[in-house]
Amino acid sequence: MEATKEAKPVANKIKLGHVHFSGCTGCLVSVADIYQGLLKILDDYADLVYALTLVDVRHIPEMDVALVEGSVCIQDRESVEDIKETRKKSRIVVALGSCATYGNITRFCRGGQHNQPQHESFLPIGDLIDVDVYIPGCPPSPELIRNVTVMAYLFLEGNEEQKALAGRYLKPLMALAKRGTTGCFCDLMNDVINQGLCIGCGTCAASCPVRAITHEFGKPQGDLNLCVKCGSCYGACPRSFFNFDVIPEFESISELIADALR
Amino acid sequence: MVSDPYLGKYTTCISARSTDREILKKAQDGGIATTLMVYALEEGIIDGVIVAGEGDLPWKPRPFVAMSRKDILKAQKAKYNISPQISWIKEATRSFGLDKVGVTGVCCQIQAVRKAQLYPINMRDVPGKIAFVVGLFCMENFLYDSIQAIVEDHTNQSLSSVKKMRIGKGKFQVYTERGNVATAPLQATHKYGQPGCYVCLDYVSNLGDISTGSVGSPDGWSTVFVRTRVGNDIWSKAVDAGLFETKPIEEVKPGLELVMKLAKIKLDGNRKTLEERRNFGVNKALRDPYA
Ligand SMILES: Cc1cc2nc3c(=O)[nH]c(=O)nc-3n(C[C@H](O)[C@H](O)[C@H](O)COP(=O)(O)OP(=O)(O)OC[C@H]3O[C@@H](n4cnc5c(N)ncnc54)[C@H](O)[C@@H]3O)c2cc1C
Ligand code: SF4
Ligand code: SF4
Ligand code: SF4
């Protein structure tokens, strides 16, 4: 079959990129697991201008939205340069997945393995550059990546009303980025239970990818030796953030996103 | 569509009870929650539902995924202590293999479901597989040890002899299997409330597809808010199928006025608590999840 190029590119697509640091590519697989929705996004809303796994572009180009996966090894000079370059070249930097947001499993790194035994220190990207939006999760949910991508498009290219909605939607994910770069079961102790906010709903246990959380008489019990420090439980907890200007609109917002991807 | 700052968005509010005798026999109120979920299961609207069943101690609930009428009926009656319903929400789409998940729970648990739908954090597949959500009214919840103290010390009953608990008319009421009724003034139970409940800004499960509770309707009946498109669709079909007796809420006593009064007490009171948290220490605030 003859290769065809878009005769007339769809106007005002945003430039989307995937930048890979010390990650496992599972975050990118989650992007791909938007399935048909991803093709629609790439048809109508975004050009994938950079993604070493998928696109033959060798150097970090200008991007409207950079989806950054993995933490950064500070003993690897190229990685450190690349994360700085990513910030310089991107309007919106999204830390995609728990390694980029919180370090996750790379928090446990301590070097001493062939053949770079000195590669021992890994930091979430927010310790090296300013990050705009967090998508926590190990793995991150495809639906959340989809929502953030659609909202980022509306934020950059939508009308006033769409911009406002996208701003409201993204706000708590931006607040998570401001809050810090550590994730742990302890977040539930420090910032929920110790703060008198836990209601025993069980959400944290459902979100934990390693089943480190059970409930004893209605309250979270964490197995800290199982916890991989992904920060999911705190993010999913309805008492970390609960934005009344967005969540009660679940019906219309879900429809809006479904319509955009139809 | 009504949009009320205290009662949330809804299209209709009615007083109703189930016409299913088996369900009514053991229902907390009008048997709405159980009847709706059984109907949704039988119609293929859901293929399973998270309910609060019996736990390992008397009156300690245990959330589980019910996939048959028989199992849904096992969760009848309100247990006034914490049942972490949402802990099963992802698993329901995994080892249980459900495509259309039903959820029952109190207001905060319904909020958790909607948050997971819009901001799924390590909740893959959950947003698209939530099919039907029935929320219960909730003034506050208790810890298991609290319910033990209230029942065993304040009402002097043995927990394992209790057939039903109710909160109403300013009293915590306990009915035993052998026919005894004992009460404690609600005032005496306040110190046992779950602390997290005092910042809760939802009384009538504003985010359910349908929400139901006892307040506003006579004994044996429930007050029902039908809210979303999903809720409206299921409710009208279930009523057409003869599953419920209904009365306009305006025609029952005490009616919507009491619901509104209690919603105001809860929400205004808890807004004040949130305000106090802002100046809890000296130049130090406690965290506000709604900020
Ligand atoms: C903690 C709590 C506080 C409540 N406070 C009020 C109130 O202030 N005002 C008011 O009008 N109504 C309140 N209710 C609701 C009311 O008591 C009934 O649960 C409701 O009317 C449903 O009655 P039904 O006959 O339709 O339910 P049934 O058909 O008997 O079914 C019971 C349903 O409740 C669920 N359930 C039972 N216990 C729990 C629990 N601990 N957590 C989550 N889900 C549970 C089960 O999964 C089941 O779906 C409260 C309920 C609870 C659990
Ligand atoms: S999700 Fe949050 S509120 Fe719910 S049980 Fe866990 S810590 Fe408590
Ligand atoms: S307890 Fe589980 S969800 Fe929470 S940070 Fe640890 S691994 Fe992640
Ligand atoms: S009062 Fe609110 S927070 Fe407490 S159990 Fe009821 S719905 Fe949940």
Side-chain angles (χ1 to χ4, degrees), chain A:
Chain A
M1 207 175 85
E2 209 182 318
T4 50
K5 220 175 172 216
E6 282 172 312
K8 178 174 172 290
V10 181
N12 299 335
K13 275 177 154 186
I14 61 171
K15 293 193 193 75
L16 184 69
H18 172 261
V19 193
H20 201 299
F21 289 94
S22 293
C24 72
T25 330
C27 292
L28 185 63
V29 172
S30 290
V31 175
D33 284 353
I34 303 172
Y35 300 125
Q36 293 296 324
L38 179 63
L39 299 180
K40 177 74 177 173
I41 287 170
L42 296 179
D43 277 347
D44 289 4
Y45 308 114
D47 282 320
L48 189 64
V49 295
Y50 183 72
L52 287 178
T53 316
L54 300 168
V55 185
D56 188 17
V57 174
R58 313 290 171 92
H59 301 287
I60 299 171
E62 301 274 340
M63 291 172 280
D64 291 309
V65 177
L67 301 172
V68 181
E69 162 177 356
S71 62
V72 179
C73 175
I74 61 173
Q75 285 91 19
D76 179 48
R77 198 158 17 119
E78 201 180 333
S79 292
V80 175
E81 275 164 20
D82 276 359
I83 192 65
K84 292 181 185 168
E85 184 71 3
T86 301
R87 179 68 275 184
K88 221 185 293 167
K89 293 280 182 64
S90 320
R91 285 170 79 185
I92 299 175
V93 171
V94 179
L96 172 62
S98 290
C99 291
T101 54
Y102 298 124
N104 201 34
I105 199 74
T106 67
R107 285 286 184 196
F108 297 88
C109 293
R110 58 199 161 88
Q113 285 181 321
H114 269 305
N115 61 358
Q116 298 285 356
Q118 79 285 15
H119 280 189
E120 66 179 21
S121 314
F122 293 75
L123 289 173
I125 65 169
D127 284 341
L128 297 170
I129 60 166
D130 286 328
V131 178
D132 302 300
V133 175
Y134 270 14
I135 299 182
C138 177
S141 309
E143 299 90 341
L144 184 58
I145 304 170
R146 173 198 71 192
N147 294 0
V148 167
T149 310
V150 170
M151 289 295 177
Y153 170 81
L154 293 179
F155 189 75
L156 296 171
E157 293 296 334
N159 60 31
E160 287 310 310
E161 202 184 316
Q162 291 167 329
K163 268 194 180 111
L165 171 69
R168 286 201 302 279
Y169 178 86
L170 294 170
K171 193 174 156 220
L173 302 175
M174 297 171 77
L176 282 180
K178 288 259 170 344
R179 175 174 168 267
T181 56
T182 53
C184 178
F185 171 80
C186 321
D187 295 339
L188 300 181
M189 302 196 292
N190 300 339
D191 285 356
V192 186
I193 305 168
N194 293 172
Q195 285 280 329
L197 294 170
C198 175
I199 52 197
C201 63
T203 311
C204 48
S207 80
C208 179
V210 296
R211 299 176 205 258
I213 306 175
T214 51
H215 280 71
E216 295 290 330
F217 291 96
K219 297 290 153 163
Q221 172 76 27
D223 188 337
L224 284 162
N225 281 328
L226 275 183
C227 171
V228 294
K229 300 194 177 288
C230 71
S232 300
C233 47
Y234 179 75
C237 169
R239 288 293 174 85
S240 57
F241 70 86
F242 194 88
N243 43 343
F244 274 107
D245 58 348
V246 173
I247 297 175
E249 305 302 322
F250 64 92
E251 218 183 353
S252 61
I253 294 176
S254 304
E255 264 164 38
L256 178 137
I257 292 169
D259 281 348
L261 297 183
R262 220 183 300 277

Side-chain angles (χ1 to χ4, degrees), chain B residues 61-200:
Chain B
R62 180 183 62 92
F64 75 101
V65 181
M67 298 177 7
S68 67
R69 173 185 165 102
K70 193 164 135 259
D71 279 349
I72 296 174
L73 265 61
K74 282 188 190 152
Q76 288 191 282
K77 289 189 189 161
K79 295 103 194 156
Y80 291 104
N81 63 107
I82 304 162
S83 179
Q85 304 287 89
I86 311 308
S87 55
W88 287 100
I89 204 160
K90 193 164 74 182
E91 196 59 27
T93 71
R94 301 294 196 274
S95 54
F96 290 86
L98 303 190
D99 287 321
K100 296 171 271 183
V101 181
V103 185
T104 63
V106 287
C107 326
C108 59
Q109 300 173 332
I110 309 309
Q111 291 182 334
V113 173
R114 300 316 185 187
K115 178 174 170 180
Q117 283 187 281
L118 280 189
Y119 296 98
I121 297 179
N122 234 310
M123 287 283 190
R124 182 176 176 165
D125 294 339
V126 169
K129 293 196 173 185
I130 301 297
F132 185 32
V133 177
V134 173
L136 309 176
F137 302 0
C138 181
M139 186 57 83
E140 64 178 329
N141 206 346
F142 299 94
L143 301 148
Y144 186 73
D145 275 35
S146 305
I147 226 60
Q148 206 171 18
I150 292 168
V151 172
E152 296 187 346
D153 302 343
H154 290 263
T155 77
N156 264 313
Q157 304 301 315
S158 140
L159 260 179
S160 50
S161 75
V162 174
K163 190 170 76 180
K164 184 169 183 170
M165 298 181 202
R166 280 197 61 168
I167 296 174
K169 308 193 174 76
K171 293 195 180 87
F172 195 99
Q173 308 159 350
V174 170
Y175 300 77
T176 69
E177 295 283 0
R178 294 204 300 257
N180 191 21
V181 185
T183 64
L186 217 44
Q187 200 71 30
T189 68
H190 283 327
K191 68 172 174 186
Y192 298 115
Q194 170 174 235
C197 294
Y198 301 136
V199 297
C200 174

